[in-house]
Amino acid sequence: MRRILGYATALPVSVLLLAGAGAGVGAGVGAGAASASVPGDGGFTIKDPRITESSGLAASRAHPGIYWTHNDGDDGTYLYAVDGRTGETVARITYTGVGKPHDVEAVSVGTDGHLYVGAIGDNDKDEDHVWIYRLKEPSDLSDRTVAATEYHVAYEDGAHNAESLAVHPDTGRIYVVTKDKDGGALYEAPEEPSPDGDNTLGKVADIDLWVTDAAFSPDGTRLAVRGDDGIMYTWKNGKPSHPRALDVPKQKQGEAITFTTDGRTLLYGSEGTNSDVVARPAKAGMAIVAEADGLSGMQLTGIVIGVAAVVALLLGGGRMVWLRKRSNDRRGTTL
């Protein structure tokens, strides 16, 4: 893969300050300003025994503190509303008007008061199209049945496996990130997808990570993607840029990611019964550097860290000399 993932926590403070200078570490998170706690921003445990393979996670805008999730695969046309305060399920939605889900992998909240579900898994990469479902987010949280619209979508360059679906909070555009061991790619759906016929997913950018989920920040300025590692992108003019490393928690089978509604926290979900949703500050670490001029990622890592360390040592050494000189000058004045 064409990347390095340099985690800030692995470096001395002096090196981190130099390596991150001017790079906007944690930009857009509202650092320095106190904010009220958002329900669920400390993480929680999903307690519903019916949720055994939580594969997607999305923070509700209509119901603060509620997080939508679903099981992986062919469990059925169900969405679960989980209370971030308690981890308990407060509603199970059954959506109708669609065919039998093939491989449900992701959920996202749209700008129009709707939920979007991605039946986009294709492990064998042999499907001529996959499915996205759109349904109204209920105003009342109780077990109920909701009608959904089904969209057939197909990639412009052939079949792909994917587990990530994200709807941009400003434009309402639907995005899918493919999953591949050599790195995936970001695709966008038509501006106004049609429920009749196929909708073509056009490639926007390479995503140099094995991706299991993705999410936009509530203000639409950042795109977070995760697998075992994670990347935070700056989002501008419909494209990702300036990739930076995320501190992804170690999970047995990390599958899901979502921002809290204030954009300050990322929640990471995992499959399994009684699975934990782990909270991390939505702050990115060191820049991810692409290979260039024949240098490998590891070589570039060494160069970046080495230069920063040398500069830090020089600055520290210069300060020590200055302090000694100042001390000697004072002693000379006293004598």
Side-chain angles (χ1 to χ4, degrees):
M1 293 187 183
R2 304 176 304 281
R3 69 185 192 283
I4 59 171
L5 292 180
Y7 288 98
T9 53
L11 298 177
V13 172
S14 58
V15 177
L16 169 60
L17 292 174
L18 287 164
V25 178
V29 188
S35 67
S37 177
V38 174
D41 66 359
F44 53 92
T45 299
I46 297 175
K47 298 177 181 178
D48 192 329
R50 297 171 296 182
I51 305 174
T52 58
E53 296 182 285
S54 176
S55 184
L57 198 64
S60 171
R61 293 188 181 90
H63 307 284
I66 298 299
Y67 297 87
W68 293 100
T69 190
H70 56 84
N71 281 316
D72 192 356
D74 307 330
D75 173 60
T77 57
Y78 305 121
L79 285 175
Y80 299 85
V82 178
D83 191 332
R85 304 169 186 85
T86 64
E88 300 284 355
T89 296
V90 294
R92 186 174 82 162
I93 305 303
T94 304
Y95 50 96
T96 62
V98 303
K100 185 179 186 300
H102 172 69
D103 193 352
V104 177
E105 293 287 356
V107 61
S108 185
V109 177
T111 59
D112 52 1
H114 285 73
L115 300 170
Y116 290 78
V117 180
I120 51 179
D122 184 8
N123 290 322
D124 297 326
K125 301 178 183 179
D126 58 1
E127 298 287 345
D128 59 5
H129 67 271
V130 289
W131 300 265
I132 295 173
Y133 310 128
R134 175 177 175 267
L135 60 145
K136 184 73 174 177
E137 184 174 13
S139 58
D140 176 47
L141 289 176
S142 60
D143 291 357
R144 61 179 58 220
T145 299
V146 178
T149 300
E150 180 179 84
Y151 300 104
H152 291 191
V153 295
Y155 301 92
E156 65 178 6
D157 53 359
H160 293 281
N161 184 34
E163 296 187 2
S164 308
L165 175 77
V167 180
H168 193 271
D170 290 335
T171 66
R173 199 73 172 261
I174 303 169
Y175 293 87
V176 172
V177 184
T178 58
K179 178 184 178 183
D180 192 286
K181 64 180 180 180
D182 295 322
L186 177 73
Y187 290 79
E188 65 178 4
E191 187 174 354
E192 296 184 8
S194 170
D196 303 314
D198 283 342
N199 296 277
T200 300
L201 295 171
K203 185 175 178 179
V204 175
D206 289 322
I207 300 293
D208 206 4
L209 190 71
W210 187 79
V211 182
T212 59
D213 203 8
F216 282 107
S217 61
D219 63 4
T221 63
R222 292 166 289 159
L223 173 67
V225 297
R226 72 144 314 167
D228 293 332
D229 297 315
I231 302 174
M232 181 82 82
Y233 290 95
T234 297
W235 187 265
K236 189 175 182 180
N237 298 325
K239 291 185 178 181
S241 63
H242 300 88
R244 305 186 68 80
L246 282 174
D247 179 21
V248 177
K250 297 299 181 184
Q251 294 176 303
K252 182 177 180 180
Q253 189 169 346
E255 289 285 332
I257 188 171
T258 191
F259 283 86
T260 52
T261 52
D262 62 358
R264 298 174 64 89
T265 304
L266 281 167
L267 296 177
Y268 296 87
S270 177
E271 290 191 357
T273 305
N274 294 320
S275 61
D276 291 327
V277 174
V278 180
R280 290 282 190 274
K283 296 182 180 182
M286 291 183 65
I288 298 170
V289 184
E291 293 179 9
D293 300 326
L295 296 175
S296 69
M298 290 301 294
Q299 288 171 323
L300 282 168
T301 307
I303 291 171
V304 171
I305 294 175
V307 170
V310 168
V311 173
L313 288 171
L314 288 173
L315 290 174
R319 178 172 176 76
M320 289 298 297
V321 170
W322 179 79
L323 288 172
R324 288 196 188 97
K325 183 176 184 303
R326 185 180 180 185
S327 177
N328 290 336
D329 289 345
R330 285 179 175 175
R331 284 198 297 269
T333 302
T334 304
L335 294 174

